Amino acid sequence: MPRLERPLVEEDTPVLKFAGDLRRLRRVAGLPSYRELGRLANYSPAALSEAVAGRRLPSLAVTKAFVRACGGDVEQWTARWRELAAQGPDHGDAPYVGLAAYQVTDADRFFGREAEVGRLLALVRERPFVGVFGASGAGKSSLLRAGLAAQWGEHVVITPGPDPITELAAALADHRSAVDVRAELAADPEHLRVLLRQAADDLLLVVDQFEEVFTLCQEADRRWLVRALTHAAGAARVVIGVRADFYGHCARHPELLDALHRSQSLVGPMSAEQLRRAVIEPAARRGASLENALVARLIADVAAQQGALPLASHVLVETWRRRRGAVLTLAGYEDAGGVEHALARTAEQVYDALPEQEKQAARQVFQRLVTPGDGTEDTRRRVARAELDAGDAVLDRLAAARLVTLDRDTVELTHEALLHAWPRLVDWLAEDRDSLRAHRRLTSAAEAWRTHDRDPDALYRGVHLDQARRLAPRLNGAEREFVDAGLAAERDREALRRRGVRRLRRLVACLAALVLLLAATAVYAVTTQRAATRERNQALSLRAADTALGLLARPRDAAALALAAYRVAPTTQARDALLLARAAGTVTTLGEGYARVPGSVAVTHEVGPEPGSSGITYRLWVGPERRKAGGMTLPRDGFLNLLSADERTALAVVRPDEFQLWDLSDPDAPRRTATLTGWPFPQGIDAAGTLMAAVEDGGAVHWRPGDTTRTRLPVDGVESVMPLDDGTGVVLARRDGDRRHVEVWSLDGRVTPVLSRSARLGLVTGPGGLLAVSDLDGAHLTVLDGAGTLLEADAVPEQALVEFSRDGEAVMAVHRDSVWLWDLSGREPLSLRAPGVEFSSARYEQGELLMVETRGGLWRLVVDVDHVIRDVCADLVDVDWAAHFPGVAERPLCP
């Protein structure tokens, strides 16, 4: 039996409450012994017992092992542990600066850059103007402040901000008024040289974050600062710190380019040894040390990161708070979340702790403190506190967490590393970068407007004003005043424009009546002339199209004349003549006698020359090239009746009560598979050749090849019956008094009424449940699917042969010299007539209509007019234009 634990007297502290909840979790798990928990958690029983004693907060690793052994939610307990650990005491200032750059006063804890500081000191002593370049987060600011400036002596350090003249005036005013100094500097940029010489001997002027000149300053201020600094070199040592991705911006200023010639220093990432010194030495100065495992892990984590030193410094501040005595441990580092999560967690905790109404204000603060990059990376932006609508409470919380820095009347991000490490800020900036750029431009424009005494010419208008109006929810008071003034000016301009329009309308009204009379007369004459020309051209086009149809025996001449008719007037008749003429030029003779084209297999028949010959042979022609394949030989009185849609099964009639089934799987060697006697005359076969149907004694029957019996449907008055294409049932037309009905019957006897018409009906089935119903008395064709009617067409003769395309996307009908094609997706139907030709069957596949005439000729008709025109133009003959189109100027037939 497990020994009893010492009870917790009162759970009046967060640590005791945490320990009590761990004990309750153990009781829910069945109160296992600590020895048993130790085996499950891979920790000693003593360590697990100490975790619930309530004397101190256990480590995160022990907590997670205890919870996992008891079957608890590890993620939930981890979050709770981090929240509790964050409330712990600081136990003194950390020897690290966190996210902030090292300042001049931090020189005693700035390590790792000694060699770079020495080289930079030597370069500055040699050259009066020096540029220090480096990537974002490389440590330029720390090197310039805690390294160079701290060791030089007399120095002035500024950042340009949006108003570099004011920044310099404030730094160099000494006992004079900064306003007076600014006025002197603004009047003459070379006055900076005088002020620097008066300030001190061998003075060092450091302009850090010089890229703000290109992201925050107006063009005039930018030119002023470049000239002032380049002319001041000599009176003092001038050093500028610039982000490397703004190197090209510096090259656009010739004065700056000359000053930087052979005066540049590049700050690269810290090496592993430099990072090791940067993290070990500050702690050693405080009498503390770091575990070797922590140093190795930290260097490995930050070595490849952008802004390695500020990230390391920040996570070491968190690790310092979790140190064990005077030792910073790897366990404390992992409890802090490591480099990857420490910075993001700090920002996220501060944001989550804000009241709901202040979170939106905090978001707008962060967005205003960033200048979105345009071809460059995002940069932080220093702004005046007056630009932020957020209250002091929000700014104070962000500053206390060292996420932002408050300096006199300005606010900025503590370090640009926050732009990459905090996912929420990354998402905010990525949501609408164009709007953020527009907002920055609006802020600058509003400031310029106020600087120029609210000059109306500086207001937004047009597209810029519309874009600014959409930014209304995120504007501060000054920006909103600027936009409102622009909207008011826009309304005034619109009112003035409307008054001008009204005056102009009154002036124009008198002239309009006269112009209308003249215009109406001219339009009537032009319209009448155009109508007469159009009617003449249409008449000539129709006549030429009829002539072209009579020339189908000479396809090239017919195609050229039809194309000319189509160019004169693109009538339907000219189009049809063009398609037929081109098709006539592609006719391939398959053989003598009747032929049909069900798909990729063509069938012709050949009758033996003598009465005593073997009979009639149906020849197969396969493939796109219509290669001659095998044949089926039947008695002379026999005929091929049905061919399945998959072209693998054929049904031949030998005599009225005897039928043969043929397997066409091998077109080169068709073989007879069965002979059926005593069966009714089949009216149809399904696509796979597995189901046949017929009308017998006024009823509908169906059977499968090989069956010995047939199934009769319980219905009378059947006039026609067809199997469904997928073989799942049959469709029939039956008579009920004066009414005709179409019904679909499944093989298990279920019936679905489809259509009722008072006419004699014929049926054709197609893929996907398609059904074509012909009104044989009224020359009407209806195509249906399971959802309703797809097509209704009139004037289709009752003898027409109706077929579906293989993919079910089209239906066609053939009767003598006429062919109809309907695209079931809704495109314009096609109706063609070829005088002197009699077609026996047709099939539409992939934009090509294959038609077979009774003499065995195979026509290939392409329905794409543009395609046909290109083919005709490739082999074009001359047209007697004057004879066919008198009075019409000759036109080019081909592009």
Side-chain angles (χ1 to χ4, degrees), residues 32-40 43 45 48:
S33 66
Y34 284 104
R35 186 178 301 278
E36 182 179 353
L37 285 178
R39 287 195 301 269
L40 296 174
Y43 275 88
L48 298 177

Side-chain angles (χ1 to χ4, degrees), residues 719-893:
E719 294 182 337
S720 57
V721 62
M722 286 286 292
L724 294 176
D725 203 53
D726 58 4
T728 60
V730 299
V731 58
L732 57 86
R734 67 182 181 87
R735 183 182 64 259
D736 184 8
D738 293 335
R739 302 288 296 175
R740 264 76 174 178
H741 302 278
V742 177
E743 299 170 347
V744 176
W745 286 74
S746 63
L747 297 183
D748 58 6
R750 287 175 296 153
V751 60
T752 303
V754 177
L755 181 70
S756 296
R757 298 180 65 88
S758 56
R760 189 162 56 89
L761 303 175
L763 305 173
V764 177
T765 61
L770 292 173
L771 173 63
V773 181
S774 299
D775 184 348
L776 301 181
D777 290 340
H780 184 87
L781 177 67
T782 303
V783 178
L784 312 98
D785 64 2
T789 301
L790 298 177
L791 171 70
E792 290 196 25
D794 292 317
V796 181
E798 62 178 276
Q799 298 88 354
L801 174 64
V802 178
E803 291 195 46
F804 286 97
S805 63
R806 186 189 304 274
D807 57 9
E809 295 295 326
V811 63
M812 66 233 65
V814 174
H815 178 64
R816 295 182 181 173
D817 61 355
S818 298
V819 178
W820 295 265
L821 173 66
W822 297 273
D823 189 322
L824 297 181
S825 63
R827 287 189 295 183
E828 182 180 1
L830 188 66
S831 175
L832 303 171
R833 179 176 173 274
V837 181
E838 184 173 351
F839 296 112
S840 60
S841 65
R843 172 68 62 161
Y844 179 70
E845 297 293 345
Q846 299 179 345
E848 186 177 61
L849 189 63
L850 302 178
M851 306 177 297
V852 172
E853 55 179 306
T854 56
R855 293 172 296 184
L858 173 63
W859 293 49
R860 297 177 179 273
L861 189 143
V862 178
V863 299
D864 184 348
V865 177
D866 293 335
H867 187 148
V868 170
I869 290 175
R870 288 194 295 272
D871 288 347
V872 172
C873 287
D875 188 24
L876 189 66
V877 298
D878 293 333
V879 175
D880 188 349
W881 191 273
H884 294 287
F885 308 104
V888 179
E890 187 170 353
R891 303 177 182 182
L893 302 184

Side-chain angles (χ1 to χ4, degrees), residues 222-537:
R222 184 181 308 131
R223 290 196 301 268
W224 183 95
L225 183 61
V226 169
R227 183 178 179 187
L229 292 179
T230 54
H231 284 73
R237 305 288 175 170
V238 179
V239 180
I240 60 174
V242 191
R243 249 177 45 185
D245 51 337
F246 284 86
Y247 188 88
H249 293 68
C250 295
R252 299 172 187 169
H253 297 270
E255 293 174 305
L256 193 58
L257 188 63
D258 292 341
L260 289 173
H261 182 61
R262 296 184 180 179
S263 300
Q264 302 174 25
S265 177
L266 181 63
V267 180
M270 299 182 76
S271 66
E273 176 58 26
Q274 289 175 321
L275 279 173
R276 189 186 70 80
R277 285 180 48 76
V279 301
I280 290 178
E281 293 296 336
R285 290 292 182 94
R286 295 288 301 276
S289 63
L290 284 76
E291 288 183 349
N292 291 335
L294 169 59
V295 176
R297 170 71 177 279
L298 179 59
I299 292 175
D301 285 350
V302 304
Q305 296 284 341
Q306 189 174 18
L309 185 56
L311 292 176
S313 181
H314 175 72
V315 73
L316 284 173
V317 170
E318 297 296 319
T319 307
W320 174 268
R321 299 179 59 210
R322 296 165 175 81
R323 67 189 183 278
R324 297 290 183 179
V327 180
L328 280 72
T329 65
L330 178 61
Y333 173 82
E334 291 177 342
D335 292 346
V339 171
E340 183 177 355
H341 301 294
L343 180 59
R345 190 178 70 246
T346 297
E348 196 67 21
Q349 287 175 347
V350 173
Y351 179 79
D352 288 341
L354 292 174
E356 195 63 36
Q357 64 272 19
E358 294 182 0
K359 287 185 176 179
Q360 185 62 31
R363 173 176 178 171
Q364 294 193 10
V365 167
F366 282 113
Q367 289 180 323
R368 282 182 178 272
L369 295 180
V370 178
T371 298
D374 190 2
T376 60
E377 294 184 2
D378 297 339
T379 57
R380 59 179 173 174
R381 171 175 176 261
R382 187 149 50 103
V383 303
R385 296 188 67 163
E387 183 181 322
L388 303 175
D389 282 343
D392 291 339
V394 174
L395 295 177
D396 290 343
R397 291 192 185 191
L398 300 180
R402 306 196 75 176
L403 299 178
V404 302
T405 299
L406 305 180
D407 183 14
R408 292 200 307 268
D409 295 328
T410 63
V411 183
E412 66 178 333
L413 292 178
T414 301
H415 200 282
E416 287 185 346
L418 196 64
L419 297 177
H420 312 284
W422 188 17
R424 185 185 294 273
L425 180 56
V426 172
D427 291 342
W428 284 343
L429 298 178
E431 280 181 7
D432 192 353
R433 302 187 68 84
D434 291 338
S435 293
L436 287 176
R437 294 191 187 100
H439 193 189
R440 293 289 81 78
R441 292 193 295 268
L442 171 62
T443 303
S444 300
E447 178 63 26
W449 175 66
R450 291 193 301 275
T451 303
H452 292 84
D453 295 328
R454 292 173 168 74
D455 183 358
D457 291 336
L459 291 172
Y460 271 176
R461 62 174 61 189
V463 175
H464 293 296
L465 184 60
D466 290 339
Q467 190 177 44
R469 184 175 0 197
R470 291 193 293 271
L471 296 173
R474 64 178 72 174
L475 302 183
N476 60 24
E479 294 163 349
R480 195 172 295 109
E481 180 188 4
F482 173 73
V483 174
D484 290 343
L487 293 173
E490 188 75 12
R491 287 192 295 269
D492 292 342
R493 285 192 295 270
E494 179 64 18
L496 182 61
R497 186 192 65 81
R498 289 179 179 176
R499 287 195 297 270
V501 168
R502 285 195 295 269
R503 287 195 298 269
L504 182 61
R505 286 175 178 171
R506 286 193 293 269
L507 293 174
V508 171
C510 295
L511 296 175
L514 295 175
V515 172
L516 284 176
L517 289 175
L518 294 175
T521 303
V523 168
Y524 176 77
V526 171
T527 303
T528 303
Q529 178 63 32
R530 287 180 177 176
T533 301
R534 185 168 52 253
E535 291 176 0
R536 180 204 63 185
N537 290 351

